[in-house]
Structures are given as C-alpha cells and as structure tokens.
Amino acid sequence: MRNLRCVQVSTIQNVPGIKATAWDVSNHSVVCLRDTDCLLCFERWVDDELHQVACWDAPQTPYHAVDLHFFGDTESACIIFDNGDLVVVREIPSNEERIEIVGSIDSGISAAAWSPDEELLIVTTKASTLIFLTRDFEDLVSVELTAGDLEVSDHVSVGWGKKETQFKGKKARALRDPTVPETIDDGRLAKDNEFHETTISWRGDGAYVAVNAVEDSTQRRVIRIYSREGVLDSVTEPVNGLIGPLSWRPAGNLLAAVQVYGEKHQVIFFERNGLRHGQFALRSLDGTRKGQDVCIRSLHWNVDSTVLAIGYDDRVQLWTMGNYHWYLKQELFEPTLKWHPEKPLAFALTPKLCHSIRRLQYTFDVGAGPIIPPFDYGVVVVIDGKTLKITPFRQANIPPPMALYEVNMEENANDVSVTLQSTEPERPMFKIHVLHPSKTAAYLLDLSTAQPPQAIEEGGLPDPANIFVNGTRHDSTRPLSLQRSSSGAGHSDFKLTENGFLLANGRVLTRGCTSYLVTPSHLIFTTSQHLLKFVHLVAKSEDLEVPPDTPESDERCRSIEGGAKLVTAMPSIFAVVLQMPRGNLETIYPRALVLAGIRNSIDEKKYKKAFLACRNQRVDMNILHDHQPDQFIANIGLFIDQVKKVEHIDLFLSSLREEDVSKTMYRETLRVDEREPTSTTGVLTAKVNRVCDAFLEALRSRKANVKNLITAQVCKNPPDLDAGLVEIVRLREKGSDQVDETVEHICFLADVNRLYDNALGLYDLQLTLLITQQSQRDPREYLPFLQNLQGQELSRRKFSIDDYLGRFKKAVGHLHELNAFEELKSYTARHSLYEDALSFYRYDEANYSSIMQLYTDHLKSTSRFKEAASAFHYLDDKPQASECYRLANQWQESLSIASTIPLPDDKLRSLAETLAQSALETKDFRAAAIIYLEYLHDVPSAAKYFCKGYLFTEAFRTITLSNQEHTDLLTSVFDIGLTENMASITELLADCKAQLAAQVPRIRELREKKKEDPLAFFEGDVNEGKDIPDDFVHKVYESHDYGHGGDGDFETEF
C-alpha cells in the first residue's frame, strides 16, 4: 500500500563524459570517473559541484570502465577497465602515488565486483577465466569457466514435455497434470537483447557469488554460483531466452535475472541451488516500441531488498513486491543507477548522454486521503505503473493487490496525493492528483455514487515549489513524510527520521518508530518492538505522554504483528489499517480510538451511537454513565428514546456495577489534563441503585415494556427480587399473555432458587409454581409441598412458609394471630425469639410474665448475668437478681438488693467478702476498700486498699474518722503504703533513665552512619527511603538488648 516518494533531489548539470559513479559511505557523497579531452578525471561531489581529485591520460584504444568502487577507510578508489587495467586512485596519498596501476590482465576484463565486506574482488576475463583477488590484489583462486561446470547441478528430467511422453488421447488437455510444464527449456540464447556480456553479483553476506555468462561451446547462458573460496557450488537449470542482467537479493534467498520470450520480458528468480523460484512479467514501455527493440541492461536490488531497479537503455524502473504482486512504482528517464550501500532508498542517476548527475532520496509513503472526521473514508491510492488502485477502506476493505477502483492511464505514474474536494458530509468527494514523468493529471472520486474516478484535469509539469502532497507544500529540503496535526488542543510538527526517531517540534518523542499517523486527537505510531501506541495530543509538545511498553495493562498500547506498519486511520469508525511485512492488510479497532469516539458521542448526547460502539467493540458499558454521570442521569429519558430496543436497555442495566471505569479501567485513555486524581477504590457509592431508580422513574412515565422494569429492579444492589415479582403479579392480574415470557426473563436475570424463595415469601402459590417450572427441580419435590400449603388456612400457611424460609420472627407473629400460645412458647424457646414474643404480649400480664420467665432462664444459661438480673428484678425474684448481679461483678446492685430481702447478717457478710475479693482480682482497690469499710467494718483493710490504689487522701480520712483505737494505723498502714508506692515510682523512673541512656547513643550513632554512607545504611536503596522495609527500625532495635532492668514495667497504674 506504500508508494515511493522523492523527498530530496540534488543535481549537477553540464558534466559530460561520466563513465562510472560510486558512493563514499563515510560522508554519503558521490564520486565519479569522467572522460574530458583525452583525460580521465576522478572527481568528488562537493557542494553541488564536482571537485577534481586526480587526472591521468585516457587509453588510446576504446575502453569501458567495468567497475568503480570507493574505499572509505583508506579514502581510495579502485577503477577496473575492460582492457585489463586495475587502477587505484588515492584521494589523500601518504608515501604512495596518487594514481597507480596495481595490475593488468592481458586478456581483458569482462566483469568485476567487490564483495560486500570489501575484502575480495572477483574478476572474469574475456578468456572465460574467473579470478579471485584480495584487497591487496593478490591472486587467490583462478577458475576456468568450462562446459563441464554445467554437470555440477544434477537437475532431474524425466522427459516431461516431450511428445513421446505425452498422452494424446481424447480430452488430453483436460486430463493433463497442471504441475507438469508443457515444454522443457534447453537453454537457447535469446534472438534479441543478447550481447554476450558477463554479470557478477554477490550475496548480501558475501558467502557466495553468482556469475552470469554465456558458455560458448554449448551456446547456452548459465549462472554459476561459487563459494567465497572459489568452489563451484551449483549452476542454474536451463532457461530459454536468459540474458545478461543479474542481481542477487541482499537478503540472500533469490537471484533475479531477465528472460526474453518472443516480444515479452519477465524477471525470473532462482534459488542458490539453481532451481527456478517464480517470476513476474514486465510491462511494455510505450506503444511505439516493439518488444525486440526493448533492451534491459541491468538489475539492481537496494540494500534492504525492498526495491528492484530494472535498467533499460533509456530509463530505470523501480519495482516493489507486496502480497506476492509486483508493483511498478517509479519510472525515471536516466538509464544508469547506483544504489547507496547503506541508505536503502538513496541512489545516484546519470542520463543516457552522461551530461549530468543526480542524487535522489526516496521514502515509502502512503497515498492516503484526509483522516479528519467526517471525511475519514480511508481513501488510499496505490501506484502500479499505468494503473491507480483506489480503495476507500471505510466502504470496502479489499486486500491488495485488488482494489475497489482501478484507473488505467496512458503513462506510468510516479507520485500521487489525495485531497478533499467537497466539504459536504452527505456527498464526500476527493481529488486525486497524479504526477507522471512528463505531465500531471487529476481525477475526481465521488463516494456518494458507485462510479469509478473520472479524469478532470491534465497539464504539464509544474514548478516543484508549487507541488502539494497530502495538503503539504513540497519542499526539497525536508522529507514529505512531515505532517502537521490539526487538533483543537494546538499544533505540533511530527517528523520521522531515517534512524527511527520520532520528533515532536524537534524534540525526540520516542525511538524505534517505524510509521506514524496524526488524527485530530491522537498521534498513532508503530515501534520496532511490535507495538502500536497512541499519544493524546495536547497544546505543548513537552506535555505529550508516550505510554510505556505494557500492552497488558495500558489501553494506549497494543501488540501487533512484527514489522506491521500503519496505512491509514478512520476515527469515525474507530479503525486503524495496518499492513504486514508480506503485504496483507489487517483492520483493527484499538481501544484508544474506540473510547475516544465513545466519549465524543456521549459529550454530544448521541447515546445510541455510543451504546452500539460499546456493544460492538466489547467496551464496558459503565462508561456511558461514568464519563458524564450528572449529564447521564439528567438525560436517561433521552437515552431510552434513542436506544429504544428492550434488549439493548436490558443489556445496559445488567452491565452496571459500582466501579467507576473512567477512573480505573479506562483512565489512561484520557488526556493528562482531563484525568481526575486516582481514587483508592474507584467505587461510586450507590451508583447502581441510583441509575436503576432513575430508569424506573423514566420507564414508568413512558409505560415501557415490563421487562425493562423487571431488569431495573433485579439489577439493583442488592437485587430487589420482590419488586420484580410484584411486577409479574400485576401483569397477571391484568390478564396479559406475556406472563410466561416475563417469568422466563426474570429467571434468566436471577437465580431461580432465590426467586422460588422470594415468590414463596409473597405467599403467592400460583407465582411460585410459575417460577418453579423454570427451574431444574423435580415436580415430585415441590408439588406435594405446595399442595399441602394450599390446603392450609391463610395464617397457618403464612406460618408454614415463613418457618420454611427461616423467617422465624415473622412466623412468631403468625402464631400470635393463631392464638397458639403454647406453640408460640416452644417456638420462641427453640429459636430464641424472646424479645419478639414479648412485644406481642406487652399488654397481657400473665402471658408476658410467662415468656419473661423463659427469657430469664435463657439469659442466665448464656452467662448474660446483667440482663438476667434485670429480668429477675422485674419478676420480683430478688435472691436470683442479687446472685446474677454478683456474677456480673455489679457489687453495688447486688448488695443493695440483698439488703432489701433482707439476708441474714452472716450471709450478707459472706456476700460482701466474695464481692471484695472479686474487686481485688480486677484491681478495683477503691471498690474493695468501700466494701471493707461499709459492709465489713474493717478499717485497717479499707485503709490498706485505699493506699494500694494511690487514694491516700481517702485512706487518711478513713483513719482519722475511725475510733481512737485505730490511730496507730497512720504508721502501720498509711506510712508503709506511702513508702512502698514511692519506691515503685522511683524504680520506674530509674528503669526509664537506664533505657534512655542505652538507646540515645545508639540512635545518634545510626544517624551519623546514615549521613556518612546512605547507600550502605539502606542496603543500596537511597530513593528517599520510599522502599525501606516496614520492619527496618524494628530489626535495628532487635539487634541490641534493651532490657527493662528490673521487674517493673511501663504499664504501672498511677
């Protein structure tokens, strides 16, 4: 799908007598050999002029320069003449002569070629000898070209094609094996175009060399293939009409040669073993020249094996291959071409009269139309000689070499461009400009009709400065692959250099780029890592964000087939067309383009278009809401009116979930300035219910299909199955014939077993039966149960259903309605429904007390002593209430109720002692001291426990209020308690001081080490400590012993 486009031309005029040209790869300049006034001049192209390097006398006899090769490392050139002379010209001589004849072959030289590594020179002499020479022109191998060489390759022939082996019966042609050729070539020479020249061509790696020469003894032209050591490896099979041109594809798989048969010519290919491997026919040059007058002089592959140059006696044609079809891309009227050894599409041309020389730089470029919606029809024009192959990919995705339209022209085309002719979206029209070698032409393509393009203009060649290609003015100083984005965010110039650098306003955006396109919102490019990437266009080129190589997690990056390149993009249909290396096409719909189109449709409130895009491209439909939530909620009615189809509305509702996909899944497909800060979860609270409620309101106002209402109910979170089933009940009550259909619909949306339970919970046995019929249950399982329910009284049926469904609280209510108190009591005890049962009998004192008695026993058995004590207190069972308060460590309530019974003194004293011990066990010293003081009248013990709880004021007051006999307690209890507590605090302070003395120096030492060598301190991580393990500080402290130094601890209570 790519055409060859000239991007740079340099010409030197009035330089007659050019005999040969060569490239100096060290500075990419051209050197040449000229014959001027009986002098041979070796000259270099510098600043659009030829500067003379050396001159010497030309031979007196007619001569021909067989080969000119320049060595960049030694700045010297080797010129080989057909008279046998090998001349070396040194541009900067040191101790050697500038011009030196390093050798001469008496018999003359018919062909010569240097190996790709410039270490070997192979020469064929006019005496049918093949000579291998070193870089220093030392003879390595000398081989005679004899008729015996033809027996090296044993090409098997079983006589196919001969008359005596052919079946000539009835319908013989129909029965003939199509794999068997009708005739077998014997290698006869061509009648025309045979000049008995010899051609040499090296394989790209320099391991083998091919020699195309005529074997005089057999009058057969044969291609011999030799190894680097001069050993004959193989010869080609006989081919009639084989002529001299030969070129070995640098990739190494094929040798190209030319065959003449009748008035036609074709390029044929050989494998290294000498067998044929395909061919393609050449087109006639023009209507005035006959086939025998056409003379093909040379074949030359470019360095990366993508272009084959075919040299005629007056022109050169450039051919490329794609999808096993050969395209004629250029026709230049200079017969001599010299490819650049390193740049694939750079070459030098000299005309037939040799009075000028041109340097040209080409590039592969797609002749594509505009890609700005709504005119992005994907119009691509492919040049194939006198045929234009035109395909609008938006209308017809036709693989090459076929096309939707083919335009036949009178002259071969060299360049083409497509511009927009009409700005009416209803009638898209494009103007196709064609550049021929001698004129220009234009065609009008109207895509609103099925008519092929029509010719509208024709004229002469314009001034190169006024040529426009794809809307960009032609400028010989820069590549025409330069495109300008037209996004609303701003303008950026993008350029792809020869070494794969993609530049944005001169800044390197990425490396390893192989092709790119610019749409109104994206820069799209492919990389050598087999990735397709999308960059959001922004106002400043510095803010362009290139996605990382993570196609598994980033929607802006996608894996593609190796070597695939961009052809065109169609943002309106979210499509990108790629061409694979072998020439076939692949149309893909990248997520970045799809999501950009969906967002644009949502912004324009074209919800049907956005919905269909999500459905066709399998995009999460939550984006329809999440991109513009408030706008969507406000326009749900518009969404329903546009989408219309019940199935489509159901599909959207069933796809809802709480996640905000615009902040999680598709966040990267937004421009940087449009992204919101990343949330921790990306979850919208109650989003699903909010959308479903809005849909229910809009659907009811439109009297929509009941299926949508059911879907909106069932898709809530959690699903409102009861509401959905109620919709079916209403439909059944109206006598609608859609009941079975809606039942099937709700069973599809939800688990039928859950629906069975919910239908039972509505106490509608007929609805339950309809639901059950959609399940996989055996009727023998559920029919007896439903029949049993049908025979019960209504309240008993409700009780049975609620008990079956585990809704025990509602079941108790039905028992209350049935006045089955005894059954209610046992049911309450079995399911621990005491509080619910009590609520039913709050005004029935007898039944209330009966259930309360059950409740107190339950509370006590489950160790809920405080609640049990309150219940016993309500039942006026004071002993049990006091005991439960004691078990609940409620000493005040327990002693208070025990005093009101009243208990005997000994039992009351025993209870007080028990409660005091419990308080001491829980370190409630104040409570224990009060019990000893007020109930046990033990002043010393009370004072002791006040001191133990640091309540020295209460202890002092208790002692002073007691009788005079307890005054000694100040010294025996108060002072001792004060001393013990002081010692405990002193010990605690000493322990803290010891720990600080041990830890502070170590902390200071660690800080010093961190300052001196942070790398070693963090074990190689100096990223501001962001990657330090969470337990780093703990591990540091664990390496030292920081004991507490005593029995005290930090949890001492004050």
Side-chain angles (χ1 to χ4, degrees):
M1 303 300 291
R2 281 170 161 71
N3 302 317
L4 281 174
R5 175 165 293 159
C6 182
V7 295
Q8 190 172 8
V9 181
S10 301
T11 306
I12 299 180
Q13 299 287 352
N14 301 320
V15 283
I18 297 178
K19 297 297 183 181
T21 57
W23 284 91
D24 178 5
V25 296
S26 60
N27 54 18
H28 307 293
S29 64
V30 176
V31 295
C32 63
L33 178 68
R34 284 207 305 141
D35 188 344
T36 58
D37 299 330
C38 299
L39 290 177
L40 286 177
C41 296
F42 180 74
E43 298 176 334
R44 175 183 289 276
W45 186 329
V46 179
D47 297 333
D48 293 334
E49 292 182 356
L50 290 180
H51 288 211
Q52 190 178 100
V53 176
C55 282
W56 67 97
D57 293 334
Q60 299 297 324
T61 58
Y63 69 95
H64 170 66
V66 176
D67 182 70
L68 169 61
H69 189 85
F70 190 87
F71 300 94
D73 53 350
T74 59
E75 295 184 338
S76 61
C78 177
I79 307 170
I80 302 174
F81 295 96
D82 60 347
N83 61 6
D85 292 340
L86 284 74
V87 180
V88 173
V89 179
R90 298 177 179 87
E91 195 167 0
I92 305 177
S94 54
N95 297 326
E96 299 172 313
E97 297 180 0
R98 181 180 293 271
I99 303 170
E100 179 182 1
I101 299 178
V102 295
S104 183
I105 298 176
D106 296 336
S107 58
I109 297 175
S110 58
W114 285 91
S115 62
D117 59 1
E118 299 180 339
E119 294 297 328
L120 289 179
L121 171 63
I122 183 171
V123 174
T124 57
T125 68
K126 296 179 181 178
S128 299
T129 303
L130 181 65
I131 303 174
F132 286 79
L133 302 174
T134 66
R135 173 76 174 268
D136 298 327
F137 304 100
E138 296 179 359
D139 192 353
L140 286 179
V141 180
S142 181
V143 180
E144 294 291 335
L145 304 179
T146 64
D149 297 340
L150 306 184
E151 300 177 0
V152 172
S153 294
D154 188 12
H155 302 120
V156 178
S157 175
V158 295
W160 288 338
K162 295 183 178 180
K163 292 183 179 181
E164 57 268 24
T165 62
Q166 292 180 356
F167 176 66
K168 295 295 183 181
K170 187 178 181 181
K171 299 182 180 179
R173 182 173 296 277
L175 297 176
R176 186 179 63 83
D177 187 350
T179 63
V180 178
E182 294 185 359
T183 59
I184 299 297
D185 289 355
D186 55 9
R188 292 191 300 269
L189 294 178
K191 297 180 180 179
D192 303 306
N193 297 318
E194 180 55 69
F195 303 101
H196 289 76
E197 74 270 29
T198 301
T199 311
I200 301 174
S201 181
W202 284 87
R203 200 169 75 171
D205 59 359
Y208 292 92
V209 64
V211 180
N212 184 1
V214 175
E215 180 58 43
D216 295 331
S217 60
T218 60
Q219 286 299 298
R220 167 187 165 187
R221 180 171 285 278
V222 63
I223 301 175
R224 297 173 172 86
I225 299 171
Y226 291 88
S227 68
R228 190 181 180 89
E229 292 75 23
V231 178
L232 182 62
D233 183 74
S234 61
V235 297
T236 57
E237 61 179 282
V239 176
N240 291 341
L242 184 66
I243 59 176
L246 174 70
S247 182
W248 202 327
R249 196 164 185 248
N253 57 339
L254 296 174
L255 292 94
V258 178
Q259 181 187 19
V260 179
Y261 56 102
E263 295 185 357
K264 298 182 179 180
H265 298 73
Q266 67 177 4
V267 175
I268 60 176
F269 299 104
F270 294 95
E271 299 177 8
R272 184 174 65 85
N273 57 13
L275 295 178
R276 287 275 298 271
H277 189 93
Q279 65 279 326
F280 71 92
L282 298 176
R283 289 87 184 265
S284 59
L285 297 183
D286 51 52
T288 60
R289 299 179 62 182
K290 297 183 179 180
Q292 60 268 22
D293 297 331
V294 176
C295 180
I296 299 179
R297 292 291 187 177
S298 63
L299 292 176
H300 297 287
W301 287 98
N302 70 332
V303 68
D304 65 353
S305 305
T306 56
V307 182
L308 176 62
I310 302 178
Y312 293 83
D313 55 353
D314 62 343
R315 70 192 71 189
V316 171
Q317 292 182 347
L318 302 183
W319 293 74
T320 64
M321 191 269 286
N323 225 13
Y324 304 101
H325 176 80
W326 284 89
Y327 297 85
L328 173 56
K329 294 297 184 181
Q330 291 281 322
E331 187 175 57
L332 306 170
F333 285 86
E334 290 100 339
T336 306
L337 178 143
K338 189 71 174 181
W339 287 109
H340 193 290
E342 293 180 355
K343 295 184 177 182
L345 298 178
F347 54 88
L349 281 176
T350 53
K352 186 173 183 180
L353 299 178
C354 300
H355 61 272
S356 65
I357 184 171
R358 290 203 300 164
R359 283 188 310 196
L360 297 96
Q361 175 69 48
Y362 276 74
T363 185
F364 281 112
D365 194 56
V366 180
I371 56 177
I372 300 176
F375 306 105
D376 51 340
Y377 282 83
V379 178
V380 177
V381 182
V382 180
I383 295 175
D384 188 11
K386 297 180 180 179
T387 303
L388 286 183
K389 297 177 180 292
I390 305 169
T391 302
F393 284 96
R394 187 166 161 185
Q395 290 186 341
N397 198 339
I398 299 178
M402 297 178 291
L404 183 61
Y405 303 111
E406 290 191 1
V407 178
N408 296 318
M409 301 171 291
E410 297 179 356
E411 192 176 354
N412 292 325
N414 281 349
D415 207 347
V416 66
S417 68
V418 183
T419 58
L420 185 64
Q421 182 70 11
S422 172
T423 58
E424 298 179 7
E426 298 78 12
R427 190 180 182 186
M429 300 176 66
F430 299 90
K431 189 175 183 180
I432 302 173
H433 306 265
V434 183
L435 181 65
H436 297 282
S438 61
K439 65 179 182 180
T440 60
Y443 298 86
L444 185 64
L445 175 63
D446 188 352
L447 294 181
S448 62
T449 66
Q451 298 298 324
Q454 303 296 323
I456 57 175
E457 292 180 14
E458 187 171 313
L461 287 177
D463 185 354
N466 295 323
I467 296 178
F468 285 81
V469 180
N470 286 348
T472 304
R473 186 181 296 275
H474 180 89
D475 185 356
S476 62
T477 62
R478 68 178 185 180
L480 284 185
S481 59
L482 182 66
Q483 299 186 31
R484 181 172 294 277
S485 77
S486 56
S487 67
H491 297 278
S492 298
D493 287 330
F494 299 100
K495 178 182 178 182
L496 179 61
T497 62
E498 294 179 0
N499 52 4
F501 285 67
L502 183 59
L503 308 179
N505 288 342
R507 182 178 69 91
V508 176
L509 193 62
T510 186
R511 294 173 173 82
C513 177
T514 56
S515 64
Y516 78 99
L517 285 173
V518 181
T519 69
S521 57
H522 292 94
L523 166 66
I524 312 172
F525 64 92
T526 57
T527 71
S528 56
Q529 301 298 319
H530 319 318
L531 297 173
L532 177 67
K533 293 189 177 185
F534 292 80
V535 178
H536 298 287
L537 295 180
V538 293
K540 297 181 180 179
S541 61
E542 294 79 8
D543 297 333
L544 292 172
E545 182 183 16
V546 179
D549 297 345
T550 53
E552 65 281 354
S553 60
D554 196 332
E555 297 285 5
R556 298 171 298 168
C557 183
R558 173 171 177 156
S559 297
I560 56 176
E561 184 177 335
K565 293 184 178 181
L566 290 164
V567 175
T568 188
M570 294 164 281
S572 294
I573 60 171
F574 329 123
V576 171
V577 181
L578 296 166
Q579 186 169 29
M580 305 303 114
R582 57 186 172 275
N584 59 309
L585 299 180
E586 181 178 346
T587 302
I588 62 175
Y589 299 85
R591 274 288 188 265
L593 277 185
V594 173
L595 291 168
I598 291 173
R599 290 190 177 101
N600 289 336
S601 299
I602 294 173
D603 293 337
E604 297 172 1
K605 297 182 181 179
K606 296 179 180 178
Y607 289 108
K608 182 176 182 179
K609 182 179 180 181
F611 172 84
L612 293 177
C614 292
R615 181 172 177 262
N616 295 336
Q617 302 301 329
R618 302 178 66 86
V619 175
D620 194 315
M621 291 192 179
N622 283 272
I623 196 173
L624 297 174
H625 167 272
D626 297 342
H627 177 58
Q628 294 282 2
D630 296 335
Q631 174 186 301
F632 183 82
I633 293 296
N635 292 277
I636 283 182
L638 179 62
F639 178 90
I640 295 173
D641 294 339
Q642 289 184 0
V643 176
K644 293 182 180 179
K645 284 191 177 181
V646 176
E647 297 81 4
H648 289 175
I649 296 175
D650 285 346
L651 177 61
F652 170 74
L653 291 172
S654 61
S655 302
L656 289 174
R657 64 179 191 276
E658 299 294 346
E659 179 186 357
D660 186 351
V661 297
S662 65
K663 296 180 180 178
T664 56
M665 185 185 303
Y666 301 131
R667 181 176 182 270
E668 301 299 334
T669 57
L670 282 171
R671 283 172 24 190
V672 179
D673 54 351
E674 295 176 347
R675 297 177 195 166
E676 296 182 6
T678 306
S679 61
T680 56
T681 61
V683 175
L684 296 176
T685 306
K687 161 192 160 184
V688 175
N689 291 346
R690 184 163 61 97
V691 175
C692 288
D693 290 338
F695 263 90
L696 285 171
E697 181 181 354
L699 289 169
R700 288 195 176 104
S701 65
R702 287 167 171 75
K703 297 182 179 180
N705 191 293
V706 69
K707 287 185 179 180
N708 292 150
L709 295 173
I710 292 174
T711 305
Q713 300 284 8
V714 174
C715 290
K716 286 185 178 181
N717 188 19
D720 193 355
L721 299 180
D722 288 347
L725 292 171
V726 169
E727 296 289 345
I728 298 177
V729 173
R730 292 173 181 169
L731 197 64
R732 186 190 64 193
E733 292 174 351
K734 294 178 181 179
S736 174
D737 56 355
Q738 297 181 355
V739 175
D740 293 337
E741 186 178 349
T742 54
V743 169
E744 184 179 351
H745 178 69
I746 196 172
C747 290
F748 172 77
L749 293 174
D751 182 13
V752 69
N753 295 317
R754 290 187 60 189
L755 288 171
Y756 172 78
D757 294 341
N758 283 81
L760 265 180
L762 295 177
Y763 313 116
D764 191 330
L765 298 183
Q766 185 178 355
L767 177 63
T768 305
L769 184 60
L770 289 174
I771 295 296
T772 311
Q773 289 173 350
Q774 298 295 328
S775 68
Q776 302 296 324
R777 292 188 178 188
D778 189 343
R780 291 176 295 181
E781 296 179 6
Y782 61 84
L783 280 180
F785 174 69
L786 295 179
Q787 290 172 352
N788 181 36
L789 292 176
Q790 184 67 30
Q792 296 178 2
E793 186 264 333
L794 181 60
S795 295
R796 175 60 65 177
R797 182 194 306 164
K798 291 181 178 180
F799 167 75
S800 300
I801 289 174
D802 289 331
D803 182 58
Y804 172 78
L805 296 177
R807 301 191 298 190
F808 304 120
K809 293 182 180 181
K810 296 185 69 175
V812 169
H814 297 310
L815 288 177
H816 177 259
E817 294 175 0
L818 292 169
N819 293 321
F821 181 70
E822 293 301 325
E823 185 179 358
L824 184 146
K825 285 175 60 178
S826 61
Y827 195 82
T828 299
R830 184 164 61 250
H831 296 292
S832 301
L833 301 172
Y834 302 99
E835 296 179 1
D836 299 280
L838 287 171
S839 65
F840 294 125
Y841 295 99
R842 65 172 64 91
Y843 304 114
D844 187 344
E845 184 66 26
N847 291 336
Y848 189 88
S849 298
S850 178
I851 295 175
M852 181 64 77
Q853 186 63 47
L854 294 175
Y855 191 29
T856 55
D857 295 339
H858 170 73
L859 291 173
K860 190 174 181 180
S861 64
T862 57
S863 300
R864 296 167 61 184
F865 299 112
K866 186 175 181 180
E867 293 89 340
S870 299
F872 279 119
H873 200 180
Y874 172 80
L875 295 173
D876 202 23
D877 189 349
K878 293 181 179 180
Q880 287 291 341
S882 177
E883 178 64 16
C884 288
Y885 277 127
R886 181 188 68 80
L887 294 173
N889 291 323
Q890 302 289 325
W891 64 273
Q892 293 169 318
E893 292 84 349
S894 179
L895 289 172
S896 298
I897 293 177
S899 300
T900 61
I901 293 177
L903 284 178
D905 292 341
D906 56 340
K907 291 186 177 181
L908 184 61
R909 186 176 182 83
S910 176
L911 176 62
E913 290 179 349
T914 302
L915 291 171
Q917 291 300 320
S918 297
L920 290 175
E921 289 176 1
T922 59
K923 293 186 179 182
D924 189 357
F925 297 110
R926 185 178 182 276
I930 293 174
I931 293 173
Y932 272 106
L933 178 63
E934 297 180 358
Y935 290 92
L936 299 177
H937 308 291
D938 187 352
V939 176
S941 296
K944 175 183 177 182
Y945 292 122
F946 274 132
C947 292
K948 205 163 189 178
Y950 296 92
L951 301 170
F952 296 104
T953 303
E954 286 293 326
F956 185 77
R957 189 179 66 84
T958 300
I959 293 172
T960 56
L961 289 176
S962 64
N963 298 330
Q964 295 295 327
E965 60 189 35
H966 295 302
T967 55
D968 58 336
L969 293 178
L970 290 173
T971 57
S972 61
V973 175
F974 186 82
D975 292 345
I976 292 176
L978 189 61
T979 304
E980 289 178 352
N981 288 337
M982 185 63 185
S984 177
I985 292 174
T986 304
E987 183 181 358
L988 175 63
L989 293 174
D991 191 16
C992 291
K993 184 177 180 181
Q995 290 191 32
L996 288 174
Q999 294 176 6
V1000 170
R1002 178 57 180 165
I1003 292 175
R1004 290 174 179 169
E1005 180 184 351
L1006 291 174
R1007 288 177 177 174
E1008 291 295 330
K1009 288 185 176 181
K1010 178 182 176 181
K1011 291 180 180 179
E1012 294 174 358
D1013 192 356
L1015 192 64
F1017 183 81
F1018 289 117
E1019 298 181 357
D1021 180 15
V1022 292
N1023 189 20
E1024 299 181 357
K1026 292 180 180 179
D1027 297 328
I1028 301 175
D1030 295 336
D1031 58 347
F1032 176 78
V1033 177
H1034 297 282
K1035 291 182 178 179
V1036 172
Y1037 282 101
E1038 287 172 3
S1039 63
H1040 301 276
D1041 184 12
Y1042 299 120
H1044 294 303
D1047 297 332
D1049 56 62
F1050 290 98
E1051 296 179 356
T1052 304
E1053 185 175 357
F1054 288 87

